[in-house]
Amino acid sequence: MKVPLLDLKPQYNALKKEIDEAVQRVIESQYFIMGPDVAKLEEEICSYLGAKKAVGVSSGTDALLLALMALDIQPGDEVIVPTYSFFATAGVVARLNAVPVFVDCDPITFNIDPKKIEEKISAKTKVIIPVHLYGQSADMDAIMAIAKKHNLKVVEDAAQAIGVQCKDGRFVGTIGDIGCFSFFPSKNLGGFGDGGIVTTNDETLGEKMRIQRVHGMEPKYYHKMMGGNFRLDALQAAVLRVKLPHLDSWSAKRRENAETYTKYFVEAGLASETGKLIFDASNKVLLPKAVYRDSGFKNHHIYNQYIIRVEKRNSLIDFLRKKDIGCEIYYPVPFHRQECFSYLNCRDEDYPISNCAAHDSIALPIYPELSNEQIKYVVDSIAEFMKAE
Ligand SMILES: *Cc1c(COP(=O)(O)O)cnc(C)c1O
């Protein structure tokens, strides 16, 4: 049986007629830059998330870059980021000649550990960027309290978390000063190429980002401030508008798939429950835990990725790939160990949890259209690997 890590074709096939019509409409109009679909998508995202302003942009990475530019991040300013995330979270900081300051992650969620933030704050710290990794909220109560105490801004990297609710029901990306989202095809709401959006409840910041999206230009050819070409394509906006109404049902399917994995892993004797931290005879596989499951809000987790941990991770990957099962490591190298950040002289021993996560975690297929038979095959294959060990 073949189980790809992600298969986008069933989603497209289910919406083919509507999507093709939307794309055709843009092509007929020959209106490719900005225009009505981008404006409507921004409105629809605002009402979906309960945000005041949204500005469609060229990617999740550019969303983060634009957010930091709007907050006037200067060379030498320090920005706190988790060491365990996709590169863009730290890359945008360094591109502005600001200093990314890395913080270790929580052992259960792999999200930034709020208990380890304050020791990294200095007189130069300006912003904290929590990442809502894999599709569940970072501990925003704790992070917002620290930000308030030290007068810092908060930019949420919600690239993997569109539609996620934190424990009080608010959508991530609307809690800090600016929320950043990605429409990369593999995200829960994916376009047909690169795209992203920033959200804010601060009208002034929203207006500033709208101007900076187009080279800081207002009116035409008069440049008030530094900006760039951070525009979202009309074609992407048209596709995303067709997909947005389905986002919640796709995320619900991902949650169901996660429950099915738990059931099969427990039945196979490979795990006793979710959220265990130590390998033992009845937990050869450590299962991810939805920490806000009891919040009562359905989108407590949207499983952009489903991450398990095993001791012999690299051999398991080889084994699964031979069995036609897609899997991946998110992420093999935390930022503090990246060559491009060696100039920061980070102390490796400050990041024990991220180092473990990078060593033993593995992402399994979780996309909405996955069948129970496929999930069973993945779990059976892992059981077969464990038995042979
Ligand atoms: C995908 C992702 C990004 C970047 O988004 P792009 O649209 O690929 O530029 C940033 N941060 C995180 C955590 C991501 O997963």
Side-chain angles (χ1 to χ4, degrees):
M1 193 185 296
K2 194 175 167 64
V3 192
L5 183 60
L6 174 65
D7 183 1
L8 292 166
K9 285 191 210 95
Q11 187 186 80
Y12 172 57
N13 289 335
L15 298 174
K16 186 170 169 32
K17 190 161 171 290
E18 276 177 90
I19 289 178
D20 289 0
E21 276 170 16
V23 168
Q24 199 56 41
R25 177 167 43 74
V26 175
I27 293 175
E28 293 294 338
S29 77
Q30 290 289 299
Y31 202 132
F32 295 118
I33 303 296
M34 309 291 285
D37 276 295
V38 171
K40 287 207 178 103
L41 177 71
E42 290 169 349
E43 278 169 33
E44 288 157 8
I45 291 280
C46 277
S47 70
Y48 174 74
L49 296 176
K52 284 214 178 90
K53 280 253 182 185
V55 180
V57 295
S58 31
S59 69
T61 305
D62 284 344
L64 289 162
L65 183 61
L66 178 60
L68 294 182
M69 287 174 75
L71 293 173
D72 271 325
I73 292 308
Q74 298 296 316
D77 286 350
E78 292 179 5
V79 176
I80 293 197
V81 300
T83 191
Y84 203 62
S85 177
F86 176 65
F87 179 72
T89 314
V92 293
V93 177
R95 278 168 64 187
L96 292 172
N97 292 317
V99 183
V101 175
F102 305 133
V103 173
D104 202 10
C105 64
D106 172 88
I108 293 184
T109 62
F110 295 176
N111 277 324
I112 191 168
D113 185 345
K115 292 189 297 299
K116 296 178 179 168
I117 292 178
E118 274 192 296
E119 66 200 55
K120 301 276 181 173
I121 293 176
S122 82
K124 293 183 185 161
T125 310
K126 294 282 161 37
V127 174
I128 306 174
I129 310 185
V131 180
H132 307 296
L133 204 63
Y134 310 142
Q136 81 176 324
S137 174
D139 184 350
M140 289 308 288
D141 286 351
I143 293 163
M144 294 310 289
I146 294 166
K148 194 167 176 210
K149 181 173 161 198
H150 296 272
N151 198 21
L152 306 175
K153 300 289 185 191
V154 174
V155 172
E156 294 175 71
D157 181 343
Q160 300 181 5
I162 189 159
V164 170
Q165 291 169 288
C166 71
K167 69 169 181 269
D168 65 11
R170 280 183 298 167
F171 285 93
V172 302
T174 68
I175 302 158
D177 297 274
I178 300 174
C180 301
F181 298 88
S182 165
F183 300 131
F184 187 80
S186 68
K187 310 290 163 140
N188 285 35
L189 180 63
F192 284 4
D194 281 309
I197 203 161
V198 289
T199 52
T200 182
N201 287 323
D202 179 327
E203 302 274 356
T204 313
L205 271 179
E207 183 58 15
K208 189 171 177 191
M209 291 192 286
R210 198 184 60 75
I211 295 168
Q212 288 183 307
R213 165 173 66 182
V214 193
H215 304 287
M217 180 166 77
E218 176 107 325
K220 209 170 187 182
Y221 304 129
Y222 288 77
H223 298 265
K224 282 192 170 166
M225 55 185 107
M226 204 45 76
N229 174 357
F230 299 134
R231 292 181 299 249
L232 177 66
D233 283 338
L235 280 167
Q236 298 304 338
V239 170
L240 291 161
R241 290 186 62 214
V242 175
K243 287 190 171 193
L244 178 59
H246 302 276
L247 174 60
D248 278 350
S249 70
W250 293 330
S251 295
K253 276 294 296 170
R254 286 169 180 265
R255 274 194 297 280
E256 265 177 48
N257 291 344
E259 302 275 343
T260 305
Y261 268 119
T262 303
K263 179 168 163 278
Y264 290 156
F265 275 121
V266 170
E267 281 172 10
L270 291 174
S272 62
E273 58 179 309
T274 63
K276 292 290 250 183
L277 294 176
I278 314 258
F279 294 108
D280 60 32
S282 43
N283 290 280
K284 289 187 170 161
V285 173
L286 304 183
L287 302 180
K289 185 180 172 92
V291 292
Y292 300 125
R293 198 163 177 266
D294 297 331
S295 66
F297 298 103
K298 64 178 176 159
N299 281 317
H300 54 267
H301 203 323
I302 65 164
Y303 291 98
N304 179 248
Q305 300 296 348
Y306 180 83
I307 308 290
I308 62 162
R309 306 175 72 167
V310 293
E311 279 181 301
K312 297 191 174 152
R313 193 266 315 272
N314 292 345
S315 340
L316 177 61
I317 288 180
D318 292 342
F319 185 84
L320 293 180
R321 287 192 177 147
K322 277 189 204 122
K323 293 205 158 260
D324 258 343
I325 295 170
C327 49
E328 197 43 84
I329 306 172
Y330 300 116
Y331 297 89
V333 186
F335 298 151
H336 65 275
R337 287 180 169 176
Q338 292 287 356
E339 191 177 339
C340 71
F341 291 132
S342 61
Y343 69 95
L344 293 169
N345 294 314
C346 296
R347 283 158 36 102
D348 196 60
E349 58 273 28
D350 282 354
Y351 306 98
I353 307 297
S354 302
N355 288 342
C356 279
H359 176 264
D360 57 25
S361 63
I362 166 172
L364 300 179
I366 190 74
Y367 63 91
E369 297 82 3
L370 207 61
S371 69
N372 283 5
E373 291 68 38
Q374 286 174 305
I375 296 174
K376 185 85 169 54
Y377 176 67
V378 175
V379 174
D380 286 348
S381 301
I382 294 173
E384 192 186 327
F385 170 83
M386 294 293 176
K387 213 179 213 168
E389 275 300 301

